[in-house]
Each structure stands twice: as structure tokens, then as C-alpha cells.
């Protein structure tokens, strides 16, 4: 289990939000933390600590009046830590190359590869050819509906008809290098992890996968390590001291060295 840091950017600022509260209309979100530092500050810190594989997420759609500033912040982070960070949020074959050329190790994609709630294999193939399997991360973030976890798109606002299962992970793994999974219903709430999601990811365990959502204590990390069988990496957002939380950043790094 490895620690994967994050830089979430919304309305041009590095933030931690309650994931399920994000709305394109009015660029609204319930905020847990708004940084006075720009995105490059966090990128430089992660580089100094030699933490690779973190993700930058642009939380505004391209139609937003804030998008250009959010994108600028992402590029600041990428230039500060070239090759050390991944980037996602509105990635398409048309703009993916710009992010990779700016220093992203991978682009993270969800919405583009789903249409009308289904997997678009033609779009997956197009992306793979455009950026290379080794530079593609699929974000298969989920929310619960009728007792099952379904992949959600469009900044977690739209349900697909695709349930997250080991079979789906097998199918999608042909196209990408890693998976990123936000458990959206607990994202930003610091109330504990979605244990069923963690257990599924650990049981599958065939390629790198990062879990995000609800981690708020070292006990949560113990649970994730057990359920994930040591195969599932973790992102900590609102609970991390860097973002105003109670989990000390240095203590988290020390824990990960022992994990």
C-alpha cells in the first residue's frame, strides 16, 4: 500500500470538498478546506518528499468561467513536478497530449469513455492509441444505488449503468495502466471508508489501483490495508493536516513506510 497525494482544484483554488456536493450549476460545492497556497506549492512538497503517482483533479467543466484558472493551476503543478503527477478532469483525445507534454505522467479519464451510461469501447481504443496504455488511468469512481456500486461520471453527478465488479475491472484493464476509485458517497466526509469497495479492489488486485474516500484515521488505514490485502494504494484528502485535517502528513508518510 502506497500513499498517493492529491491536488484537487475547484474555481481556481486548491480545495477539499464533499464529493457528493459538487454541482456544475453555479460551480457549487460544499468546502472543507480552501488553500491560500497555489497548486505548485503542493507539487513541490510532494516532489521533495519523493512521493510519486499522485493525482491532480480539475473539478470545473470546460464550460465554467473558472475553468481556465483551474487549468492554469494544474499546469503550475505539472511544471513544478514533471513526471510525478497524474491529471484528470475533462480529459479527451483532443486535450490529453497538452497535459502529458506539460509534465503529467498519466491522464485520468472517466466521462469521455462512457456515453448514455455505457462503456464506449471505441472511445477507449481511441484514447489508448492517442496517449498509450502506459499513460492512461481510468477513474471508475462509484456511488451506491439499490445496494450496488455504479460508476459515476461528469464530476460524480451522473450514474452509469455499469456496476463496479471484478469482471468490469478485467475488461477495462486491457486499456489502461492504473485505476483510480473515489468512493463518492463518503468522499470529503471523514467518516470512514467504503469497506465493500476496498474489499472488492483488494480481492481483484491485478494492477495498481488507488482508493480515495472517507479516510480520517490511522485505524481506517489499518482497515484498508487489511481489506485491500496490501494491494490498494490510498489518497487522503480532508483528513490530512496539509488540508486542515487531524492526520499528520509526516506521520502518514512514516506509516506508509511500514505498510
Amino acid at each position: 500500500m502506497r500513499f498517493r497525494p492529491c491536488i484537487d482544484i475547484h474555481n481556481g483554488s486548491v480545495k477539499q470538498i464533499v464529493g457528493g456536493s459538487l454541482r456544475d450549476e453555479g460551480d457549487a460545492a460544499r468546502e472543507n478546506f480552501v488553500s491560500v497556497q497555489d497548486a505548485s506549492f503542493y507539487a513541490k512538497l510532494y516532489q521533495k518528499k519523493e512521493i510519486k503517482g499522485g493525482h491532480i483533479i480539475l473539478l470545473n467543466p470546460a464550460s465554467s468561467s473558472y475553468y481556465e484558472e483551474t487549468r492554469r493551476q494544474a499546469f503550475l503543478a505539472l511544471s513544478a513536478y514533471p513526471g510525478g503527477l497524474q491529471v484528470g478532469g475533462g480529459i479527451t483525445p483532443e486535450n490529453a497530449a497538452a497535459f502529458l507534454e506539460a509534465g503529467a505522467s498519466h491522464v485520468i479519464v472517466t466521462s469521455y469513455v462512457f456515453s448514455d451510461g455505457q462503456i464506449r469501447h471505441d472511445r477507449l481504443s481511441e484514447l489508448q492509441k492517442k496517449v498509450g496504455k502506459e499513460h492512461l488511468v481510468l477513474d471508475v469512481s462509484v456511488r451506491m444505488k439499490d445496494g450496488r456500486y455504479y460508476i459515476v461520471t461528469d464530476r460524480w453527478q451522473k450514474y452509469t449503468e455499469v456496476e463496479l465488479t471484478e469482471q468490469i475491472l478485467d475488461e477495462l484493464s486491457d486499456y489502461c495502466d492504473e485505476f483510480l476509485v473515489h468512493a463518492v458517497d463518503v468522499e470529503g466526509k471523514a467518516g470512514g471508508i467504503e469497506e465493500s469497495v476496498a474489499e472488492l479492489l483488494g480481492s481483484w488486485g491485478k494492477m495498481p489501483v488507488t482508493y480515495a474516500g472517507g479516510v480520517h484515521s490511522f485505524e481506517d488505514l489499518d482497515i484498508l490495508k487489511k481489506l485491500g490485502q496490501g494491494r490498494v494504494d490510498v489518497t487522503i484528502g480532508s483528513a490530512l493536516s496539509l488540508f486542515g485535517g487531524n492526520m499528520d502528513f509526516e506521520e502518514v508518510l512514516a506509516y506508509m513506510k511500514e505498510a
Side-chain angles (χ1 to χ4, degrees):
M1 183 166 70
R2 295 174 293 171
F3 175 62
R4 301 289 197 102
C6 63
I7 303 174
D8 295 344
I9 308 171
H10 182 246
N11 295 358
S13 298
V14 175
K15 294 183 182 180
Q16 285 295 312
I17 68 168
V18 177
S21 73
L22 190 62
R23 297 290 182 271
D24 288 349
E25 185 178 355
D27 296 299
R30 194 157 86 243
E31 299 168 346
N32 288 329
F33 175 84
V34 181
S35 180
V36 298
Q37 305 287 350
D38 69 11
S40 68
F41 169 85
Y42 295 96
K44 290 173 183 175
L45 176 61
Y46 301 153
Q47 183 183 47
K48 181 180 179 181
K49 296 296 182 180
E50 299 181 339
I51 313 168
K52 287 195 169 185
H55 53 270
I56 304 165
I57 302 295
L58 289 74
L59 292 172
N60 292 104
S63 58
S64 168
S65 60
Y66 291 100
Y67 178 77
E68 286 305 319
E69 179 57 22
T70 292
R71 184 177 182 273
R72 189 183 75 83
Q73 286 291 323
F75 273 69
L76 284 176
L78 292 173
S79 63
Y81 191 7
L85 295 164
Q86 306 168 356
V87 64
I91 301 295
T92 67
E94 288 71 36
N95 65 18
F99 287 101
L100 292 172
E101 290 166 4
S105 65
H106 298 68
V107 290
I108 306 167
V109 182
T110 305
S111 301
Y112 182 76
V113 302
F114 291 89
S115 181
D116 298 322
Q118 302 296 331
I119 300 171
R120 286 285 301 271
H121 292 89
D122 57 331
R123 291 187 171 188
L124 272 170
S125 297
E126 180 187 13
L127 269 169
Q128 187 187 57
K129 290 176 182 176
K130 191 80 172 181
V131 306
K133 183 179 188 290
E134 70 277 12
H135 296 299
L136 182 59
V137 176
L138 290 180
D139 183 337
V140 288
S141 294
V142 293
R143 303 186 79 168
M144 182 177 279
K145 184 172 68 172
D146 301 326
R148 297 181 178 182
Y149 290 100
Y150 289 88
I151 296 170
V152 289
T153 67
D154 297 272
R155 292 156 299 284
W156 310 322
Q157 295 167 87
K158 294 182 180 179
Y159 284 89
T160 70
E161 297 174 20
V162 183
E163 182 182 355
L164 185 65
T165 63
E166 291 192 32
Q167 292 74 23
I168 287 297
L169 292 171
D170 279 336
E171 180 180 331
L172 295 175
S173 67
D174 290 337
Y175 298 91
C176 65
D177 194 45
E178 298 184 13
F179 288 109
L180 172 62
V181 185
H182 294 84
V184 178
D185 291 327
V186 297
E187 176 79 15
K189 295 182 178 179
I193 68 171
E194 286 274 21
E195 295 188 11
S196 298
V197 175
E199 189 171 23
L200 168 66
L201 300 177
S203 177
W204 183 71
K206 295 180 182 178
M207 64 191 297
V209 56
T210 300
Y211 170 90
V215 174
H216 77 306
S217 68
F218 287 93
E219 289 74 18
D220 285 332
L221 292 180
D222 290 339
I223 293 169
L224 181 61
K225 180 181 177 182
K226 180 180 178 181
L227 294 177
Q229 302 179 44
R231 301 167 173 169
V232 178
D233 296 340
V234 63
T235 290
I236 305 171
S238 298
L240 198 64
S241 60
L242 289 180
F243 306 119
N246 61 1
M247 293 182 71
D248 184 79
F249 178 59
E250 296 291 346
E251 289 182 18
V252 168
L253 299 186
Y255 176 100
M256 291 299 166
K257 289 181 180 179
E258 303 296 326

